[in-house]
Amino acid sequence: MFSPPLHRQRHQFVVDFVNKNKPQKVADLGCSECTLLMKLKFHRDIELLVGVDIDGAKLKKKWQGLGPLSTDYLQPSYYQLRIELYQGSVTQKDARLRGFDLVTSVELIEHLTLADLGQFSDVVFGYMIPAVAIISTPNAEFNTLLPGLTGFRHHDHKFEWTRAEFQSWALGVALQYGYEVEFTGVGPAPLGQQDAVGFCTQIGVFRRLRQRPSCRAVFGVDVEELFSYELLYSITYPSLRDNNTLRKFLVAEVLCFAEELKQRWMEERMAASDGSLLQTEGGAEAHQAASGQRVEARENPTACGPEDENLMGQRGLGLFMTQEEANQGAQEESPSVHRFVAVPLASLWTSPKVSALSGSLRNLRHFLMEEPTVRLSQDGSAVMLKEEDLDEGSFHAEDGDYGEANQCSQPPEQGEEWEASV
């Protein structure tokens, strides 16, 4: 009788709040099959996303949907995201859930006994002390409009409150723990009946009062930390804020663009009868290529400091062919000769991706000097590529471990009741 379905409206209410308020640390209590978490993982302002549920089997069944996509590895961003799933009861305290910007509890409290509800209030508002808490629960006054419903909406519900009962509990909790609460809901009543029965789902948005100290101020740093929950799953998304991820992605971009420049130069070189350049690496100054073989670099004085300008001038702005003698082993009668194409860092800097990732030519050289898969010239001003084709299979932005996840078996599907289908 609702379009979109009621459970989607509840989740959309949270999503809209996140879009507007941009919390960085979000926890969903009673996350069940992680449906809300799967929506929130695409919001780039969130840096830590946590789900807690007492049913570990449901968590293990759905954790795969929380992992990074292939595009997250191939095109990592500067945003950071870590997702964690815990098995545990919302009536128990765990220090890892303290100090969040937003804690949600969607259709959870009605599954608790009144005694457990008191513990829940103390855990959330007295121990976790989030900046904002969103709590939703069925509105019993609306039940008369639900076709075929007798009794509660779910067999596990311990109670279903009227609007007055929910507001009485919420206002008492807010007064006790230093919060203010605003009441709203989703799933409007038919035309003309809204005032009489209210929303199908009633929602309380609790905001911590300014005079109420945060959890850090309440507990300090020396308080004994409690760890009641079991961590079932954790994953850290690849981010360019991580130096290892940045280096891997930058190196992949550099090698790809260097190979492109090398192939372009060699094709032009072969087309011109007098276009070959030879020099001994570290020796005399190289002869400049013919005008048709030169790869110009775009100077960016706003991004380049004195050291960058020095790098740009050391080899000019072209590509060079070099030859190098290398002794391959004591048993060889004579050393072998390898031919390389030198791609100046100044030419690589013309790639928008390379310049954006490295920030400066100085940083670019620093990153490449620490990468064993990249060969630099002796003065560090150019990337050296062998004349034969580059083995592209050695470089993939997706390589590397960005996070580990616990492998979990998948239990059989469980039946859904009326509440989940609205």
Side-chain angles (χ1 to χ4, degrees):
M1 60 183 296
F2 295 103
S3 180
L6 190 59
H7 67 277
R8 293 185 183 177
Q9 294 188 40
R10 291 191 287 256
H11 290 165
Q12 189 60 44
F13 180 90
V14 176
V15 169
D16 292 341
F17 181 91
V18 169
N19 284 333
K20 181 179 179 180
N21 296 275
K22 304 186 184 311
Q24 294 182 337
K25 298 175 62 178
V26 179
D28 184 27
L29 306 182
C31 63
S32 186
E33 296 184 347
C34 307
T35 306
L36 178 58
L37 299 179
M38 292 179 190
K39 296 178 182 293
L40 294 179
K41 77 170 189 173
F42 294 104
H43 293 264
R44 294 185 169 183
D45 293 297
I46 298 177
E47 296 183 357
L48 178 59
L49 186 59
V50 172
V52 178
D53 202 276
I54 199 170
D55 190 341
K58 284 187 177 181
L59 298 179
K60 294 176 181 179
K61 182 172 65 173
K62 295 296 183 178
W63 66 261
Q64 296 95 333
L66 296 173
L69 304 175
S70 297
T71 52
D72 294 316
Y73 290 104
L74 295 173
Q75 297 289 336
S77 69
Y78 283 98
Y79 297 99
Q80 297 183 103
L81 175 61
R82 181 170 181 82
I83 299 179
E84 298 174 348
L85 294 180
Y86 293 94
Q87 180 180 4
S89 170
V90 294
T91 62
Q92 294 178 315
K93 299 175 180 178
D94 192 293
R96 292 165 290 190
L97 272 291
R98 290 206 308 251
F100 275 58
D101 301 311
L102 173 63
V103 167
T104 63
S105 172
V106 180
E107 305 299 278
L108 170 66
I109 62 173
E110 63 272 11
H111 293 270
L112 305 175
T113 65
L114 293 180
D116 286 342
L117 182 60
Q119 291 181 310
F120 167 85
S121 303
D122 186 57
V123 167
V124 173
F125 299 102
Y127 185 77
M128 294 181 183
I129 317 182
V132 179
I134 296 177
I135 297 178
S136 77
T137 192
N139 172 20
E141 297 172 74
F142 201 99
N143 287 357
T144 57
L145 301 180
L146 299 178
L149 176 64
T150 58
F152 291 158
R153 300 183 191 180
H154 190 280
H155 78 277
D156 188 54
H157 286 184
K158 306 301 188 295
F159 60 85
E160 290 182 0
W161 279 338
T162 64
R163 288 173 289 174
E165 290 171 327
F166 177 58
Q167 293 175 13
S168 175
W169 170 81
L171 290 170
V173 165
L175 180 63
Q176 180 180 356
Y177 294 101
Y179 282 76
E180 62 181 1
V181 59
E182 174 188 357
F183 298 101
T184 181
V186 294
L191 186 64
Q193 302 186 54
Q194 183 66 34
D195 292 339
V197 299
F199 291 99
C200 186
T201 291
Q202 48 189 337
I203 298 175
V205 180
F206 298 77
R207 290 182 171 86
R208 190 177 67 225
L209 296 174
R210 291 185 178 181
Q211 60 267 30
R212 169 73 193 276
S214 65
C215 70
R216 181 182 296 273
V218 171
F219 297 103
V221 295
D222 298 326
V223 67
E224 180 182 0
E225 295 188 340
L226 303 174
F227 301 99
S228 304
Y229 301 157
E230 178 185 358
L231 178 64
L232 297 183
Y233 174 82
S234 64
I235 187 71
T236 300
Y237 276 53
S239 169
L240 294 176
R241 294 189 189 181
D242 175 70
N243 280 338
N244 289 332
T245 303
L246 175 59
R247 178 176 53 81
K248 288 177 181 292
F249 191 62
L250 175 60
V251 167
E253 290 293 338
V254 165
L255 292 175
C256 181
F257 189 50
E259 176 66 12
E260 178 184 337
L261 292 179
K262 185 198 79 170
Q263 294 294 345
R264 186 193 311 169
W265 180 81
M266 292 184 68
E267 289 173 2
E268 294 173 351
R269 174 176 172 269
M270 293 177 63
S273 59
D274 59 344
S276 100
L277 297 171
L278 292 175
Q279 73 171 23
T280 301
E281 184 178 3
E285 193 72 21
H287 295 288
Q288 191 62 273
S291 59
Q293 299 161 355
R294 175 168 167 161
V295 179
E296 294 290 337
R298 296 176 301 173
E299 295 188 16
N300 186 353
T302 61
C304 300
E307 292 191 27
D308 297 333
E309 294 176 359
N310 187 35
L311 268 177
M312 295 177 71
Q314 284 181 21
R315 279 191 180 267
L317 304 180
L319 275 74
F320 306 87
M321 182 71 76
T322 71
Q323 61 183 11
E324 175 186 283
E325 294 186 354
N327 193 344
Q328 299 296 329
Q331 296 180 354
E332 293 189 9
E333 296 181 358
S334 61
S336 58
V337 177
H338 299 285
R339 294 161 61 86
F340 292 85
V341 174
V343 185
L345 300 190
S347 296
L348 294 170
W349 180 258
T350 64
S351 164
K353 285 187 177 180
V354 172
S355 58
L357 289 169
S358 57
S360 69
L361 276 172
R362 179 184 177 184
N363 290 341
L364 176 59
R365 181 172 63 171
H366 175 73
F367 275 113
L368 297 180
M369 288 177 64
E370 295 183 343
E371 176 55 46
T373 61
V374 175
R375 181 186 183 92
L376 293 179
S377 60
Q378 288 184 355
D379 59 4
S381 66
V383 172
M384 310 296 292
L385 299 178
K386 286 187 177 181
E387 187 177 3
E388 62 268 18
D389 291 338
L390 185 67
D391 182 10
E392 297 179 357
S394 302
F395 310 104
H396 293 284
E398 193 172 352
D399 290 347
D401 295 327
Y402 298 100
E404 296 181 356
N406 294 329
Q407 301 292 328
C408 307
S409 58
Q410 298 187 8
E413 295 280 349
Q414 298 183 5
E416 297 183 353
E417 301 208 18
W418 189 94
E419 179 191 45
S421 63
V422 222

Short mmCIF file of all heavy atoms in Angstrom, two decimals, residues 314-342:
data_model
loop_
_atom_site.label_atom_id
_atom_site.label_comp_id
_atom_site.label_asym_id
_atom_site.label_seq_id
_atom_site.Cartn_x
_atom_site.Cartn_y
_atom_site.Cartn_z
N GLN A 314 67.02 19.77 -17.56
CA GLN A 314 68.22 18.94 -17.59
C GLN A 314 68.36 18.17 -18.88
O GLN A 314 69.47 17.95 -19.36
CB GLN A 314 68.20 17.98 -16.38
CG GLN A 314 68.56 18.67 -15.07
CD GLN A 314 68.57 17.69 -13.92
OE1 GLN A 314 68.69 16.48 -14.15
NE2 GLN A 314 68.45 18.18 -12.71
N ARG A 315 67.27 17.69 -19.45
CA ARG A 315 67.36 16.88 -20.68
C ARG A 315 66.55 17.50 -21.81
O ARG A 315 66.31 16.84 -22.80
CB ARG A 315 66.86 15.46 -20.41
CG ARG A 315 67.90 14.57 -19.74
CD ARG A 315 67.40 13.14 -19.77
NE ARG A 315 68.34 12.24 -19.15
CZ ARG A 315 69.29 11.58 -19.78
NH1 ARG A 315 69.48 11.78 -21.06
NH2 ARG A 315 70.09 10.75 -19.14
N GLY A 316 66.08 18.70 -21.63
CA GLY A 316 65.23 19.24 -22.66
C GLY A 316 63.83 18.64 -22.55
O GLY A 316 63.48 18.02 -21.56
N LEU A 317 63.05 18.78 -23.60
CA LEU A 317 61.66 18.36 -23.56
C LEU A 317 61.38 17.31 -24.62
O LEU A 317 60.30 17.29 -25.19
CB LEU A 317 60.75 19.58 -23.74
CG LEU A 317 60.96 20.71 -22.74
CD1 LEU A 317 60.00 21.85 -23.01
CD2 LEU A 317 60.80 20.20 -21.32
N GLY A 318 62.32 16.44 -24.92
CA GLY A 318 62.11 15.42 -25.94
C GLY A 318 62.32 14.03 -25.41
O GLY A 318 62.51 13.81 -24.22
N LEU A 319 62.30 13.03 -26.30
CA LEU A 319 62.60 11.65 -25.97
C LEU A 319 63.93 11.29 -26.60
O LEU A 319 64.31 11.82 -27.64
CB LEU A 319 61.50 10.70 -26.48
CG LEU A 319 60.28 10.54 -25.56
CD1 LEU A 319 59.44 11.78 -25.63
CD2 LEU A 319 59.48 9.32 -25.96
N PHE A 320 64.67 10.37 -25.97
CA PHE A 320 66.01 10.03 -26.41
C PHE A 320 66.17 8.52 -26.48
O PHE A 320 65.58 7.79 -25.69
CB PHE A 320 67.06 10.60 -25.45
CG PHE A 320 66.91 12.08 -25.20
CD1 PHE A 320 66.07 12.54 -24.21
CD2 PHE A 320 67.60 12.98 -25.98
CE1 PHE A 320 65.92 13.90 -23.99
CE2 PHE A 320 67.46 14.35 -25.75
CZ PHE A 320 66.62 14.80 -24.76
N MET A 321 67.02 8.06 -27.41
CA MET A 321 67.42 6.67 -27.46
C MET A 321 68.79 6.56 -26.81
O MET A 321 69.69 7.36 -27.11
CB MET A 321 67.49 6.16 -28.90
CG MET A 321 67.86 4.68 -28.99
SD MET A 321 66.51 3.63 -28.43
CE MET A 321 65.43 3.76 -29.84
N THR A 322 68.94 5.64 -25.89
CA THR A 322 70.22 5.45 -25.23
C THR A 322 70.64 4.00 -25.39
O THR A 322 69.82 3.12 -25.67
CB THR A 322 70.14 5.78 -23.72
OG1 THR A 322 69.38 4.77 -23.07
CG2 THR A 322 69.51 7.13 -23.48
N GLN A 323 71.93 3.73 -25.21
CA GLN A 323 72.39 2.35 -25.18
C GLN A 323 73.25 2.16 -23.93
O GLN A 323 73.91 3.08 -23.47
CB GLN A 323 73.19 2.01 -26.44
CG GLN A 323 74.45 2.84 -26.65
CD GLN A 323 75.12 2.48 -27.93
OE1 GLN A 323 74.56 1.76 -28.75
NE2 GLN A 323 76.35 2.95 -28.12
N GLU A 324 73.20 0.96 -23.37
CA GLU A 324 73.89 0.69 -22.12
C GLU A 324 74.50 -0.69 -22.19
O GLU A 324 73.89 -1.64 -22.69
CB GLU A 324 72.90 0.78 -20.96
CG GLU A 324 73.49 0.40 -19.62
CD GLU A 324 72.42 0.37 -18.54
OE1 GLU A 324 72.00 1.44 -18.07
OE2 GLU A 324 71.99 -0.75 -18.19
N GLU A 325 75.70 -0.81 -21.69
CA GLU A 325 76.35 -2.11 -21.60
C GLU A 325 76.09 -2.69 -20.23
O GLU A 325 76.22 -2.02 -19.22
CB GLU A 325 77.85 -1.99 -21.84
CG GLU A 325 78.21 -1.56 -23.26
CD GLU A 325 79.69 -1.59 -23.49
OE1 GLU A 325 80.43 -1.82 -22.51
OE2 GLU A 325 80.11 -1.39 -24.64
N ALA A 326 75.69 -3.96 -20.21
CA ALA A 326 75.40 -4.61 -18.95
C ALA A 326 75.99 -6.01 -18.97
O ALA A 326 75.70 -6.80 -19.87
CB ALA A 326 73.89 -4.68 -18.71
N ASN A 327 76.81 -6.32 -18.00
CA ASN A 327 77.41 -7.65 -17.90
C ASN A 327 76.38 -8.61 -17.33
O ASN A 327 75.94 -8.46 -16.19
CB ASN A 327 78.64 -7.59 -16.98
CG ASN A 327 79.48 -8.86 -17.08
OD1 ASN A 327 79.00 -9.87 -17.58
ND2 ASN A 327 80.71 -8.79 -16.62
N GLN A 328 75.97 -9.58 -18.12
CA GLN A 328 74.92 -10.49 -17.71
C GLN A 328 75.42 -11.66 -16.89
O GLN A 328 74.62 -12.43 -16.39
CB GLN A 328 74.19 -11.02 -18.96
CG GLN A 328 73.53 -9.94 -19.79
CD GLN A 328 72.44 -9.24 -19.02
OE1 GLN A 328 71.78 -9.85 -18.18
NE2 GLN A 328 72.25 -7.97 -19.29
N GLY A 329 76.71 -11.83 -16.73
CA GLY A 329 77.21 -12.95 -15.93
C GLY A 329 78.67 -13.20 -16.22
O GLY A 329 79.20 -12.81 -17.25
N ALA A 330 79.32 -13.85 -15.28
CA ALA A 330 80.76 -14.08 -15.41
C ALA A 330 81.08 -15.01 -16.57
O ALA A 330 82.19 -14.98 -17.12
CB ALA A 330 81.30 -14.65 -14.11
N GLN A 331 80.15 -15.86 -16.99
CA GLN A 331 80.43 -16.83 -18.04
C GLN A 331 80.34 -16.21 -19.43
O GLN A 331 80.76 -16.83 -20.40
CB GLN A 331 79.46 -18.01 -17.92
CG GLN A 331 79.63 -18.79 -16.60
CD GLN A 331 78.65 -19.95 -16.54
OE1 GLN A 331 77.80 -20.10 -17.39
NE2 GLN A 331 78.80 -20.78 -15.52
N GLU A 332 79.77 -14.98 -19.53
CA GLU A 332 79.64 -14.38 -20.85
C GLU A 332 80.99 -13.83 -21.30
O GLU A 332 81.75 -13.25 -20.53
CB GLU A 332 78.61 -13.24 -20.80
CG GLU A 332 77.19 -13.74 -20.54
CD GLU A 332 76.20 -12.61 -20.71
OE1 GLU A 332 76.61 -11.54 -21.20
OE2 GLU A 332 75.03 -12.81 -20.38
N GLU A 333 81.30 -14.02 -22.57
CA GLU A 333 82.57 -13.55 -23.11
C GLU A 333 82.57 -12.05 -23.30
O GLU A 333 83.60 -11.39 -23.19
CB GLU A 333 82.86 -14.25 -24.46
CG GLU A 333 83.03 -15.75 -24.32
CD GLU A 333 83.34 -16.39 -25.65
OE1 GLU A 333 83.37 -15.65 -26.66
OE2 GLU A 333 83.56 -17.61 -25.69
N SER A 334 81.40 -11.46 -23.57
CA SER A 334 81.33 -10.02 -23.76
C SER A 334 80.00 -9.51 -23.19
O SER A 334 79.01 -10.24 -23.19
CB SER A 334 81.42 -9.68 -25.25
OG SER A 334 80.34 -10.28 -25.95
N PRO A 335 80.00 -8.29 -22.71
CA PRO A 335 78.75 -7.75 -22.15
C PRO A 335 77.71 -7.55 -23.24
O PRO A 335 78.03 -7.37 -24.41
CB PRO A 335 79.20 -6.41 -21.56
CG PRO A 335 80.42 -6.05 -22.34
CD PRO A 335 81.10 -7.35 -22.68
N SER A 336 76.44 -7.60 -22.83
CA SER A 336 75.34 -7.38 -23.77
C SER A 336 74.98 -5.91 -23.80
O SER A 336 75.25 -5.17 -22.86
CB SER A 336 74.11 -8.21 -23.35
OG SER A 336 73.71 -7.85 -22.04
N VAL A 337 74.39 -5.48 -24.89
CA VAL A 337 74.02 -4.09 -25.07
C VAL A 337 72.50 -3.97 -25.07
O VAL A 337 71.83 -4.70 -25.81
CB VAL A 337 74.61 -3.52 -26.37
CG1 VAL A 337 74.15 -2.08 -26.57
CG2 VAL A 337 76.13 -3.59 -26.33
N HIS A 338 71.97 -3.09 -24.22
CA HIS A 338 70.53 -2.86 -24.16
C HIS A 338 70.24 -1.47 -24.66
O HIS A 338 70.97 -0.52 -24.38
CB HIS A 338 70.03 -3.01 -22.72
CG HIS A 338 70.25 -4.37 -22.13
ND1 HIS A 338 69.48 -5.45 -22.48
CD2 HIS A 338 71.18 -4.81 -21.25
CE1 HIS A 338 69.91 -6.52 -21.83
NE2 HIS A 338 70.94 -6.16 -21.08
N ARG A 339 69.18 -1.34 -25.43
CA ARG A 339 68.77 -0.05 -25.97
C ARG A 339 67.52 0.41 -25.21
O ARG A 339 66.58 -0.35 -25.02
CB ARG A 339 68.49 -0.17 -27.46
CG ARG A 339 69.74 -0.47 -28.28
CD ARG A 339 69.38 -1.03 -29.65
NE ARG A 339 68.59 -0.10 -30.44
CZ ARG A 339 69.13 0.87 -31.20
NH1 ARG A 339 70.45 1.02 -31.25
NH2 ARG A 339 68.38 1.66 -31.91
N PHE A 340 67.54 1.67 -24.76
CA PHE A 340 66.45 2.22 -23.98
C PHE A 340 65.93 3.49 -24.63
O PHE A 340 66.66 4.18 -25.34
CB PHE A 340 66.91 2.57 -22.55
CG PHE A 340 67.26 1.38 -21.71
CD1 PHE A 340 68.53 0.81 -21.78
CD2 PHE A 340 66.33 0.84 -20.85
CE1 PHE A 340 68.85 -0.29 -21.00
CE2 PHE A 340 66.65 -0.25 -20.07
CZ PHE A 340 67.91 -0.82 -20.15
N VAL A 341 64.69 3.77 -24.37
CA VAL A 341 64.11 5.06 -24.69
C VAL A 341 63.97 5.82 -23.37
O VAL A 341 63.38 5.32 -22.42
CB VAL A 341 62.74 4.93 -25.37
CG1 VAL A 341 62.10 6.30 -25.56
CG2 VAL A 341 62.89 4.22 -26.69
N ALA A 342 64.53 7.01 -23.32
CA ALA A 342 64.45 7.85 -22.11
C ALA A 342 63.29 8.82 -22.25
O ALA A 342 63.26 9.65 -23.16
CB ALA A 342 65.76 8.61 -21.91
#
